[in-house]
Amino acid sequence: MSLLRALHAELLKLKRTLAFRVIFVLPFLVATLQFFIAWRTKKFPADFNIWDSLPLSSMQVWAVFMLPLLITLETALLNGIEHSDRQWKHLFALPVPRYSVYFAKVIVAQALILISTFILAALIVLVGIAAISLRPELANAGPVPYGWIVKHATFVWLASWLIIAIHTWVSVRWSGFPIPLGTGIAGTFFALFAASAAIGKYYPWLLPMNIFLEGRGTAALVLGVAGGIVAVLIGCFEFVRRDVLN
Amino acid sequence: MGECLIETRGLTRRFGARVAVNDLNLSVPAAGVYGFLGPNGAGKTTAIRMLLGLIRPNAGEVRLFGAKVAGNRASLMRRVGALVESPSLYPHLTGRENLEVTRRLLGAPRNLIELALDTVRLTQDANRRVREYSLGMRQRLGLALALLNKPELLILDEPTNGLDPAGIHEMRDLIRRLPDEFGVTVFLSSHLLSEVEQIAGHIGIIHEGKLLFQGPLAELQTRQQTQLIVGVKQLDAASECLVNAGWTIARTIDGMISVLAKTPDDAARVTRLLVDQQIDVFHIAQAQPSLEDIFLTLATRTSRITDHVVAAGASR
């Protein structure tokens, strides 16, 4: 019950915030990039099918780059609201269990990432349809692969739970952008090196991308979800016991 | 003695080697305003944070409404409202929306928002974003947040900090009304004696983490020696004359001598003594002791904490 109340309060806090706008902006950037690629490509191979290429490349760009960036921004913005006017002391002085506040923060971050990922999914469909109408040579692409898009959007989101959990704790623990942003940049940067290594299978910032790699998909899902839950519980344990000095 | 809403026993908190609060034994009676007085850095905010469960003590316990806070925090905090230092507000939301956020967290009825706004006289500005509020309005909104749950105990930490004189007056007026109109007991911390003595019936004085005095304000006032501020031209001669006659000189400031007095007649005695010695007196006035004077007096004279409010705490 207290968790539902905390979630209800979190929704109101989102009003007029950048945290709410960002979930539309980043998918739009990916979709715009894909649209221009489809529109400006001079010649497509004879056997080219836009529904084989567009959803996969869009989701991969999302998984490896935009999604970690979105998670970094969202969690920093969501928790920055509480740091900005030293809200934690007010929240913790209320008769509300601290774990409710923490879980509400995680759930709202997860929900915003999910919405953003499905906005991208919808935009992928729109971009594909627009590209087909602009380029007659793509007309034989067949039906829109809604099932594939929904399934992979969901899997990418589930695999991102561990990153969301890590970033939620970091942005709750430290105020301001430098440390959360530094964590996000470092995590994404080292992902470039980890991708080809064996450790890449378990590296948190690569898990959403691993959904698309042969032999890594199941591990990415299990580690993303289970690791995310464990990381949330550990973060919550620290959060509940913390002294509020500011 | 009546019921104690706040009781602490041996409450201690250290930050590294520094002891911020040292063996604090508070007893705050129900009803009225309790002034928690101390200079900046005395340990007031740390003590308040422990009362609210924001930080954990190294030793001792806190009881609210007779029950231990440890293990009962959520249920006890339903009866408490708090404003710790500057109010914590969401500047991108309106005043009403800020209250709505807290109302949702508390699961309180919607009508309490209008009641709280009306109490702090913010109804007219409730739909403006908080970033447009003046400091005084922010402070009143902070008070409205603390009042939202119709608390029985209101804990206010330096609520007039940073306000202009009009804002201070308005806030003080508001706090003074609360016990009578809403039946709330107010625990008010401040570093200003002048502020507290206008509204508080009981006070506790904390200095360097230790409670130096606790009891009715009148009790403190009777224990404090009045000071006579004497203006003379021959400062050295006057000082010597007074000391030789057995008077205690607290200090000499800007050509004025501050003499400790015991009775109202002392002003006449001092004047007569100086005039008899051919020392011209051009100014004499009684002065209330400053908070600094009180701290110095209590710190030197009191080696143990005196508790004049509630005997019940001692027998527990």
PDB file of all heavy atoms in Angstrom, chain B residues 79-91:
ATOM      1  N   ARG B  79       1.875  10.968  13.773  1.00  0.00           N
ATOM      2  CA  ARG B  79       1.380  11.972  14.716  1.00  0.00           C
ATOM      3  C   ARG B  79       2.309  13.179  14.797  1.00  0.00           C
ATOM      4  O   ARG B  79       2.142  14.048  15.629  1.00  0.00           O
ATOM      5  CB  ARG B  79       1.234  11.325  16.101  1.00  0.00           C
ATOM      6  CG  ARG B  79       0.317  10.111  16.078  1.00  0.00           C
ATOM      7  CD  ARG B  79       0.443   9.261  17.327  1.00  0.00           C
ATOM      8  NE  ARG B  79      -0.117   9.913  18.487  1.00  0.00           N
ATOM      9  CZ  ARG B  79      -0.064   9.422  19.721  1.00  0.00           C
ATOM     10  NH1 ARG B  79       0.537   8.257  19.932  1.00  0.00           N
ATOM     11  NH2 ARG B  79      -0.595  10.081  20.728  1.00  0.00           N
ATOM     12  N   VAL B  80       3.334  13.182  13.923  1.00  0.00           N
ATOM     13  CA  VAL B  80       4.354  14.235  13.984  1.00  0.00           C
ATOM     14  C   VAL B  80       4.445  14.961  12.647  1.00  0.00           C
ATOM     15  O   VAL B  80       4.377  14.342  11.586  1.00  0.00           O
ATOM     16  CB  VAL B  80       5.739  13.616  14.313  1.00  0.00           C
ATOM     17  CG1 VAL B  80       6.822  14.690  14.349  1.00  0.00           C
ATOM     18  CG2 VAL B  80       5.693  12.865  15.634  1.00  0.00           C
ATOM     19  N   GLY B  81       4.601  16.265  12.708  1.00  0.00           N
ATOM     20  CA  GLY B  81       4.910  17.048  11.513  1.00  0.00           C
ATOM     21  C   GLY B  81       6.262  17.696  11.742  1.00  0.00           C
ATOM     22  O   GLY B  81       6.606  18.018  12.877  1.00  0.00           O
ATOM     23  N   ALA B  82       7.024  17.873  10.676  1.00  0.00           N
ATOM     24  CA  ALA B  82       8.370  18.421  10.886  1.00  0.00           C
ATOM     25  C   ALA B  82       8.791  19.344   9.766  1.00  0.00           C
ATOM     26  O   ALA B  82       8.432  19.147   8.602  1.00  0.00           O
ATOM     27  CB  ALA B  82       9.373  17.275  10.999  1.00  0.00           C
ATOM     28  N   LEU B  83       9.519  20.361  10.160  1.00  0.00           N
ATOM     29  CA  LEU B  83      10.164  21.254   9.197  1.00  0.00           C
ATOM     30  C   LEU B  83      11.610  21.380   9.664  1.00  0.00           C
ATOM     31  O   LEU B  83      11.895  22.054  10.661  1.00  0.00           O
ATOM     32  CB  LEU B  83       9.461  22.620   9.174  1.00  0.00           C
ATOM     33  CG  LEU B  83      10.109  23.724   8.353  1.00  0.00           C
ATOM     34  CD1 LEU B  83      10.284  23.309   6.902  1.00  0.00           C
ATOM     35  CD2 LEU B  83       9.264  24.998   8.408  1.00  0.00           C
ATOM     36  N   VAL B  84      12.500  20.680   8.962  1.00  0.00           N
ATOM     37  CA  VAL B  84      13.905  20.642   9.383  1.00  0.00           C
ATOM     38  C   VAL B  84      14.700  21.629   8.543  1.00  0.00           C
ATOM     39  O   VAL B  84      14.793  21.486   7.326  1.00  0.00           O
ATOM     40  CB  VAL B  84      14.497  19.226   9.219  1.00  0.00           C
ATOM     41  CG1 VAL B  84      15.931  19.175   9.737  1.00  0.00           C
ATOM     42  CG2 VAL B  84      13.640  18.212   9.957  1.00  0.00           C
ATOM     43  N   GLU B  85      15.241  22.634   9.184  1.00  0.00           N
ATOM     44  CA  GLU B  85      15.985  23.716   8.517  1.00  0.00           C
ATOM     45  C   GLU B  85      15.130  24.310   7.401  1.00  0.00           C
ATOM     46  O   GLU B  85      13.961  24.537   7.592  1.00  0.00           O
ATOM     47  CB  GLU B  85      17.336  23.195   8.017  1.00  0.00           C
ATOM     48  CG  GLU B  85      18.243  22.728   9.156  1.00  0.00           C
ATOM     49  CD  GLU B  85      19.559  22.172   8.661  1.00  0.00           C
ATOM     50  OE1 GLU B  85      19.553  21.177   7.925  1.00  0.00           O
ATOM     51  OE2 GLU B  85      20.582  22.729   9.038  1.00  0.00           O
ATOM     52  N   SER B  86      15.738  24.518   6.223  1.00  0.00           N
ATOM     53  CA  SER B  86      14.966  25.125   5.136  1.00  0.00           C
ATOM     54  C   SER B  86      13.964  24.109   4.611  1.00  0.00           C
ATOM     55  O   SER B  86      14.229  22.906   4.636  1.00  0.00           O
ATOM     56  CB  SER B  86      15.904  25.550   4.015  1.00  0.00           C
ATOM     57  OG  SER B  86      16.621  24.436   3.560  1.00  0.00           O
ATOM     58  N   PRO B  87      12.798  24.584   4.158  1.00  0.00           N
ATOM     59  CA  PRO B  87      11.799  23.622   3.678  1.00  0.00           C
ATOM     60  C   PRO B  87      12.274  22.919   2.413  1.00  0.00           C
ATOM     61  O   PRO B  87      12.961  23.513   1.585  1.00  0.00           O
ATOM     62  CB  PRO B  87      10.574  24.493   3.390  1.00  0.00           C
ATOM     63  CG  PRO B  87      11.089  25.866   3.225  1.00  0.00           C
ATOM     64  CD  PRO B  87      12.330  25.967   4.047  1.00  0.00           C
ATOM     65  N   SER B  88      11.930  21.654   2.297  1.00  0.00           N
ATOM     66  CA  SER B  88      12.280  20.874   1.108  1.00  0.00           C
ATOM     67  C   SER B  88      11.086  20.889   0.170  1.00  0.00           C
ATOM     68  O   SER B  88      10.047  20.312   0.483  1.00  0.00           O
ATOM     69  CB  SER B  88      12.613  19.446   1.515  1.00  0.00           C
ATOM     70  OG  SER B  88      13.677  19.442   2.433  1.00  0.00           O
ATOM     71  N   LEU B  89      11.247  21.555  -0.960  1.00  0.00           N
ATOM     72  CA  LEU B  89      10.119  21.727  -1.872  1.00  0.00           C
ATOM     73  C   LEU B  89      10.532  21.367  -3.298  1.00  0.00           C
ATOM     74  O   LEU B  89      11.711  21.404  -3.630  1.00  0.00           O
ATOM     75  CB  LEU B  89       9.634  23.179  -1.839  1.00  0.00           C
ATOM     76  CG  LEU B  89       9.282  23.737  -0.460  1.00  0.00           C
ATOM     77  CD1 LEU B  89       9.121  25.245  -0.516  1.00  0.00           C
ATOM     78  CD2 LEU B  89       8.006  23.095   0.063  1.00  0.00           C
ATOM     79  N   TYR B  90       9.548  21.039  -4.119  1.00  0.00           N
ATOM     80  CA  TYR B  90       9.812  20.795  -5.538  1.00  0.00           C
ATOM     81  C   TYR B  90       9.529  22.100  -6.274  1.00  0.00           C
ATOM     82  O   TYR B  90       8.367  22.471  -6.457  1.00  0.00           O
ATOM     83  CB  TYR B  90       8.914  19.675  -6.059  1.00  0.00           C
ATOM     84  CG  TYR B  90       9.146  18.355  -5.354  1.00  0.00           C
ATOM     85  CD1 TYR B  90       8.241  17.870  -4.421  1.00  0.00           C
ATOM     86  CD2 TYR B  90      10.301  17.614  -5.603  1.00  0.00           C
ATOM     87  CE1 TYR B  90       8.469  16.670  -3.760  1.00  0.00           C
ATOM     88  CE2 TYR B  90      10.535  16.419  -4.945  1.00  0.00           C
ATOM     89  CZ  TYR B  90       9.619  15.956  -4.033  1.00  0.00           C
ATOM     90  OH  TYR B  90       9.849  14.776  -3.372  1.00  0.00           O
ATOM     91  N   PRO B  91      10.583  22.803  -6.708  1.00  0.00           N
ATOM     92  CA  PRO B  91      10.368  24.130  -7.284  1.00  0.00           C
ATOM     93  C   PRO B  91       9.589  24.122  -8.591  1.00  0.00           C
ATOM     94  O   PRO B  91       8.972  25.128  -8.949  1.00  0.00           O
ATOM     95  CB  PRO B  91      11.787  24.675  -7.497  1.00  0.00           C
ATOM     96  CG  PRO B  91      12.715  23.544  -7.304  1.00  0.00           C
ATOM     97  CD  PRO B  91      12.009  22.468  -6.576  1.00  0.00           C
TER      98      PRO B  91
END
